[in-house]
């Protein structure tokens, strides 16, 4: 039966990227030794109980991850619910990125043997007495989770166990998760997954999916006697009110829990498992069936083409200024020998004696530039590794771990850039500068993050960072990042100040009355529109992956958009900088930073629009968490884009004034 999906489909990564990764050797090939394997991502071989050995396992372990919902920002651990628990089993070690994202992978009571069929096997039975306060609390939490459409996330052989179903236009969508249950309102309206069956019809009733039909697809290894490799794990959630709980037969009406139910309620959890050989699917391409169900590739190419058109337009404008206008200006100025000619100077040449005058609040600007440089290099290196396949979704938590480690290790360039520019601004309080570089922007981010963590801790969410991890993050910050920042600042202050091509006059030149378009605020507001226009479509998919808990695998697109963003910010800032200099306004330092940095304000406006138009988030805690984490992203994006704009404008101003003869 065709069903409306309970969650919107995730954004799709191009198959071309998968092919390129295979050619590069970063994704294991179909034959042993055809490519190198990423750490922890080597294939595991399985065989039947009779043939198991050290190289070939018979037992298939199923792990459970956190449960999350598109209607709530609060994820919960599997153990927070009263589901069947594993009696024994080792919990997999989690990296820093998984802890920061709130992933909590644990062993499950579901144990399988390769190629051994099971039908309606009982896992456990949960009994609730509505008169007991503890049981009523567990049952109410389960009902609330079904009402908010919380989703299970199971893992087999490092692959998500997917629920595949038909959606509109005859397409088939594979969701890497499946719901706990669903709800029929008191008006008879079927919410979320209750649309999949007409048997769910009782009003004001919850239906729990207490049975799963699991089908594991495998591919037999052709070389040697190495057994088989798993290439897909799919399931179908079902609901059964088992007549004989001790000997379930998986038949009968669905398991309903009425809001008015009282007395004893028993829920038996069961599963069936089957195996199917797939000769055409290899281990290296086992993610393809998930990616193929995500129909948004054409939107990505439209976004890229849209961004490229903007870049070409800006490049043409900048080239026209550099080759025509500036070339003529410089040629005319260099031919001026008489006093009469010198008096006829106009435009940007007139402010040569003030162009490198230190800006107001030079301390703050240098600190922002240092932190922005740190973020810029971190982003570039992280996306580069992601494009090579090292930070794929199969390597859980690797993206965040890589970003945090890189940020910590990049304290040296942050301190160097901040100190270098602060010295060129004529600053002498080097201790204050290096302390602010080390603690101002990271401190704001950490304070916001800590407040959000307190809310998560109060709500009992699995996304709450343990105290030990917080101490570890502080240790990385204070013991590694801060000393590296001091080292960078030492070398920055030790070097001579940046030499400017023209001298600065002692008396500042008066800036003439500016037209509306050359005033600071309109220019800054206009400057952020074009860079935002290059990224807003990609931004939709990034926000989807964060807040709608969807898979993000489009790092090739993202890296290309990153390069386009850098070019667009640079060109838009240079363009507006030239217009302001022609209007004899020489305050370009802060304006160049804020012009491209204003893209972050458009990011914030889009995030607010996304919250009210796309998300179904409810609850005060979830709303505060959304905007709290959004403010962290906006601050990071502001420093990132602002630094790009400043460096581009600094290069432009230095170049044009270095070729002008100044008397």
């Amino acid at each position: 039966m065709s069903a409306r999906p309970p969650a919107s489909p995730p954004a799709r990564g191009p198959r071309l990227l998968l092919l390129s990764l295979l050619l590069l050797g970063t994704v294991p090939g179909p034959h042993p030794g055809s490519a190198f394997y990423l750490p922890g991502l080597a294939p595991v071989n399985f065989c039947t109980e009779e043939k198991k050995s050290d190289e070939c396992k018979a037992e298939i372990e199923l792990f459970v991850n956190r449960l999350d919902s598109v209607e709530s920002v609060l994820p919960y651990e599997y153990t927070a619910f009263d589901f069947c628990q594993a009696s024994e089993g080792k919990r997999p070690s989690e990296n820093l990125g998984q802890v920061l994202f709130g992933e909590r992978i644990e062993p499950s009571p579901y144990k399988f043997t390769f190629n051994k069929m099971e039908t309606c096997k009982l896992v456990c039975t949960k009994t609730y007495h509505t008169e007991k306060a503890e049981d009523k609390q567990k049952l109410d939490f389960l009902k609330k989770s079904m009402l908010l459409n919380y989703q299970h996330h199971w893992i087999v052989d490092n692959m998500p166990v997917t629920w595949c179903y038909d959606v509109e236009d005859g397409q088939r969508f594979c969701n890497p998760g499946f719901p706990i249950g669903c709800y029929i309102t008191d008006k008879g309206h079927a919410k979320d997954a209750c649309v999949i069956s007409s048997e769910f019809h009782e009003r004001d009733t919850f239906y729990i999916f207490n049975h799963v039909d699991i089908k594991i697809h495998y591919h037999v290894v052709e070389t040697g006697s190495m057994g088989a490799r798993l290439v897909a794990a799919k399931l179908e959630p079902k609901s059964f009110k088992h007549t004989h709980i001790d000997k379930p037969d998986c038949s009968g009406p669905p398991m309903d829990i009425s809001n008015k139910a009282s007395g004893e309620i028993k829920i038996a959890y069961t599963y069936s498992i089957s195996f199917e050989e797939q000769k055409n699917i290899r281990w290296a391409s086992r993610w393809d069936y998930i990616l193929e169900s995500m129909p948004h590739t054409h939107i990505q190419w439209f976004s890229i083409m849209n961004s490229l058109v903007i870049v070409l337009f800006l490049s043409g404008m900048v080239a026209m200024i550099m080759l025509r206008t500036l070339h003529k200006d410089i040629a005319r100025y260099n031919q001026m020998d008489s006093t009469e000619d010198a008096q006829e100077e106009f435009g940007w040449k007139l402010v040569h004696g003030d162009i490198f005058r230190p800006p107001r609040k030079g301390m703050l600007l240098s600190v922002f530039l240092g932190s922005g440089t740190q973020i810029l290099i971190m982003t570039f290196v992280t996306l580069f590794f992601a494009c090579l396949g090292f930070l794929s979704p199969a390597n859980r938590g690797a993206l965040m771990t890589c970003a945090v480690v890189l940020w910590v290790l990049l304290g040296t360039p942050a301190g160097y850039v901040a100190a270098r520019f602060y010295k060129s601004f004529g600053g002498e309080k080097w201790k204050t500068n290096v302390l602010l570089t080390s603690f101002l922007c990271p401190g704001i981010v950490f304070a916001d993050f800590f407040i959000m963590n307190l809310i998560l801790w109060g709500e009992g969410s699995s996304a709450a960072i343990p105290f030990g991890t917080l101490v570890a993050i502080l240790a990385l910050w204070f013991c590694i990042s801060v000393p590296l920042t001091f080292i960078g600042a030492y070398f920055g202050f030790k070097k001579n100040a940046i030499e400017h091509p023209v001298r600065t006059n002692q008396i500042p030149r008066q800036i003439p009355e500016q037209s509306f378009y050359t005033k600071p605020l309109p220019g800054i507001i206009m400057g952020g529109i074009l860079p935002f226009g290059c990224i807003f479509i990609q931004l939709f998919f990034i926000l989807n992956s964060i807040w709608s808990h969807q898979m993000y695998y489009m790092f090739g697109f993202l890296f290309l958009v990153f390069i386009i963003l850098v070019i667009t910010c640079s060109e838009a800032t240079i363009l507006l900088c030239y217009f302001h200099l022609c209007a004899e306004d020489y305050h370009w330092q802060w304006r160049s930073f804020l012009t491209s940095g204003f893209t972050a304000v458009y990011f914030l406006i889009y995030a607010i629009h996304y919250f009210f138009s796309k998300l179904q988030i409810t609850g005060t805690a979830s709303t505060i968490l959304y905007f709290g984490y959004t403010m962290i992203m906006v601050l990071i994006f502001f420093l990132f884009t602002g630094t790009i704009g400043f460096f581009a404008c600094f290069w432009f101003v230095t170049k044009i004034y270095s070729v002008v003869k100044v008397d």
Side-chain angles (χ1 to χ4, degrees):
M1 180 178 178
S2 178
R4 178 171 51 88
S8 55
R12 168 169 133 154
R15 294 192 65 185
L16 183 61
L17 178 60
L18 289 173
L19 180 60
S20 64
L21 295 180
L22 184 59
L23 295 174
L24 286 169
T26 55
V27 174
H31 302 293
S34 63
F36 68 88
Y37 298 123
L38 300 179
L41 297 183
V44 179
N45 298 313
F46 293 92
C47 53
T48 56
E49 185 75 30
E50 300 79 23
K51 299 180 180 179
K52 70 176 181 179
S53 62
D54 294 336
E55 292 81 21
C56 194
K57 296 171 59 177
E59 186 183 63
I60 300 174
E61 292 183 276
L62 188 147
F63 292 96
V64 290
N65 203 342
R66 65 178 186 176
L67 287 88
D68 53 38
S69 168
V70 295
E71 299 180 32
S72 174
V73 178
L74 304 168
Y76 290 99
E77 291 186 52
Y78 182 84
T79 52
F81 298 84
D82 192 35
F83 297 133
C84 301
Q85 306 295 331
S87 57
E88 58 182 13
K90 185 179 179 182
R91 181 173 180 167
S93 59
E94 295 160 346
N95 57 41
L96 180 61
Q98 287 177 286
V99 176
L100 292 176
F101 271 127
E103 289 198 18
R104 299 291 185 268
I105 300 176
E106 300 185 19
S108 78
Y110 298 84
K111 305 292 182 185
F112 317 127
T113 302
F114 179 73
N115 232 352
K116 182 181 179 182
M117 310 290 183
E118 297 280 2
T119 303
C120 202
K121 186 171 182 179
L122 180 67
V123 183
C124 74
T125 303
K126 295 292 181 178
T127 305
Y128 304 95
H129 296 275
T130 54
E131 293 80 10
K132 294 183 180 180
E134 184 181 354
D135 286 359
K136 189 176 185 303
Q137 185 179 5
K138 292 177 180 177
L139 201 58
D140 288 344
F141 186 58
L142 199 60
K143 289 179 181 178
K144 181 183 176 183
S145 302
M146 286 189 278
L147 191 63
L148 292 174
N149 193 28
Y150 269 82
Q151 307 261 325
H152 285 280
H153 293 281
W154 289 2
I155 301 166
V156 167
D157 190 32
N158 205 34
M159 274 280 294
V161 181
T162 57
W163 174 33
C164 297
Y165 49 84
D166 295 327
V167 291
E168 291 86 355
D169 302 325
Q171 294 182 341
R172 191 161 181 81
F173 170 58
C174 291
N175 185 20
F178 67 97
I180 296 173
C182 59
Y183 177 61
I184 302 292
T185 65
D186 52 3
K187 294 182 180 179
H189 174 63
K191 284 195 64 180
D192 303 314
C194 275
V195 299
I196 65 175
S197 175
S198 58
E199 293 185 347
F200 304 144
H201 56 80
E202 293 292 334
R203 298 190 175 193
D204 196 20
T205 301
F206 294 90
Y207 290 93
I208 187 167
F209 293 121
N210 59 333
H211 175 85
V212 286
D213 284 336
I214 304 172
K215 179 176 283 190
I216 293 181
H217 302 262
Y218 64 91
H219 172 77
V220 177
V221 180
E222 297 172 359
T223 57
S225 57
M226 297 177 65
R229 293 172 181 170
L230 308 188
V231 294
K234 301 178 183 179
L235 62 73
E236 184 179 352
K238 294 182 178 179
S239 180
F240 293 115
K241 183 182 286 185
H242 301 288
T243 309
H244 305 286
I245 291 180
D246 295 334
K247 293 183 179 179
D249 56 358
C250 293
S251 62
M255 182 66 213
D256 60 323
I257 306 172
S258 173
N259 257 337
K260 302 179 181 66
S262 60
E264 186 180 77
I265 299 174
K266 287 188 176 182
I267 303 175
Y269 292 91
T270 56
Y271 73 91
S272 299
I273 185 165
S274 60
F275 294 83
E276 182 178 326
E277 183 180 356
Q278 295 286 346
K279 295 183 179 180
N280 299 324
I281 302 176
R282 302 299 179 100
W283 189 88
S285 57
R286 62 182 189 161
W287 288 78
D288 281 11
Y289 81 96
I290 303 176
L291 302 177
E292 285 170 358
S293 70
M294 307 173 188
H296 292 322
T297 305
H298 64 286
I299 297 178
Q300 291 296 302
W301 286 115
F302 171 77
S303 170
I304 298 295
M305 295 306 297
N306 174 59
S307 303
L308 285 174
V309 168
I310 293 175
V311 167
L312 291 173
F313 169 74
L314 285 175
S315 299
M317 292 288 288
V318 172
M320 185 178 66
I321 289 173
M322 298 291 286
L323 297 177
R324 295 185 60 188
T325 311
L326 277 176
H327 180 73
K328 290 180 181 178
D329 286 352
I330 291 171
R332 186 192 316 126
Y333 291 147
N334 288 340
Q335 291 171 0
M336 290 179 181
D337 297 323
S338 63
T339 308
E340 290 76 18
D341 288 338
Q343 290 176 350
E344 294 177 2
E345 292 177 358
F346 63 91
W348 57 270
K349 176 69 186 300
L350 288 173
V351 296
H352 67 81
D354 299 275
I355 193 66
F356 291 106
R357 190 173 299 281
R360 303 185 190 97
K361 307 291 183 183
M363 172 78 80
L364 185 61
L365 179 59
S366 64
V367 169
F368 282 174
L369 290 173
S371 297
T373 302
Q374 193 174 9
I375 295 168
L376 178 62
I377 300 173
M378 176 200 75
T379 306
F380 175 80
V381 176
T382 302
L383 289 180
F384 180 75
F385 278 119
C387 280
L388 294 180
F390 288 100
L391 309 178
S392 70
N395 200 356
R396 291 177 176 81
L399 187 71
M400 179 60 78
T401 304
C402 178
V404 171
V405 171
L406 281 172
W407 180 86
V408 169
L409 297 177
L410 288 169
T412 302
Y416 179 83
V417 169
R420 198 94 169 84
F421 278 100
Y422 181 63
K423 188 174 183 179
S424 73
F425 294 156
E428 297 178 351
K429 299 178 181 178
W430 65 272
K431 293 180 182 177
T432 306
N433 180 263
V434 70
L435 286 171
L436 286 175
T437 306
S438 301
F439 295 108
L440 179 61
C441 296
I444 294 172
V445 171
F446 184 82
D448 189 331
F449 183 77
F450 183 74
I451 294 170
M452 297 303 104
N453 198 60
L454 288 177
I455 296 173
L456 289 168
W457 177 74
E459 295 288 331
S461 171
S462 68
I465 309 302
F467 179 75
T469 306
L470 283 176
V471 172
I473 293 172
L474 287 173
L476 289 171
W477 180 14
F478 286 103
C479 299
I480 300 177
S481 180
V482 172
L484 289 175
T485 306
F486 272 79
I487 293 171
Y490 170 77
F491 287 106
F493 280 111
K494 190 177 180 181
K495 292 193 71 173
N496 295 328
I498 299 172
E499 293 185 7
H500 300 309
V502 290
R503 293 190 302 272
T504 302
N505 297 334
Q506 291 184 352
I507 301 174
R509 178 185 178 85
Q510 186 174 0
I511 300 174
E513 184 69 24
Q514 299 292 303
S515 65
F516 175 78
Y517 296 104
T518 55
K519 287 182 179 179
L521 189 58
I524 289 170
I525 292 174
M526 288 188 294
I529 294 176
L530 289 176
F532 179 76
C534 293
I535 65 166
F536 79 97
I537 295 180
Q538 189 71 221
L539 193 61
F540 169 77
F541 293 108
I542 294 173
L543 292 177
N544 257 6
S545 69
I546 296 172
W547 301 115
S548 296
H549 314 293
Q550 296 177 4
M551 193 179 301
Y552 191 88
Y553 206 75
M554 301 173 294
F555 296 115
F557 281 123
L558 188 59
F559 187 72
L560 187 56
V561 170
F562 167 80
I563 299 299
I564 291 173
L565 176 63
V566 171
I567 297 171
T568 309
C569 284
S570 304
E571 293 179 339
T573 309
I574 289 173
L575 203 60
L576 289 170
C577 180
Y578 175 73
F579 292 152
H580 288 116
L581 292 179
C582 288
E584 300 177 31
D585 187 351
Y586 51 83
H587 294 307
W588 62 272
Q589 291 97 333
W590 268 112
R591 184 176 290 144
S592 63
F593 189 92
L594 295 174
T595 297
S596 56
F598 203 80
T599 310
V601 177
Y602 291 108
F603 177 9
L604 176 61
I605 295 171
Y606 183 80
I608 295 171
H609 164 74
Y610 179 83
F611 177 81
F612 288 107
S613 64
K614 303 295 181 182
L615 294 182
Q616 307 164 11
I617 290 176
T618 57
T620 305
S622 292
T623 304
I624 294 173
L625 287 166
Y626 176 86
F627 286 105
Y629 286 126
T630 298
M631 292 311 297
I632 293 177
M633 291 188 283
V634 168
L635 175 60
I636 292 172
F637 197 68
F638 170 71
L639 296 172
F640 164 70
T641 52
T643 301
I644 295 170
F646 178 88
F647 284 150
C649 208
F650 179 78
W651 170 84
F652 173 73
V653 169
T654 304
K655 283 291 182 183
I656 65 172
Y657 284 97
S658 64
V659 296
V660 176
K661 294 179 182 178
V662 179
D663 296 332

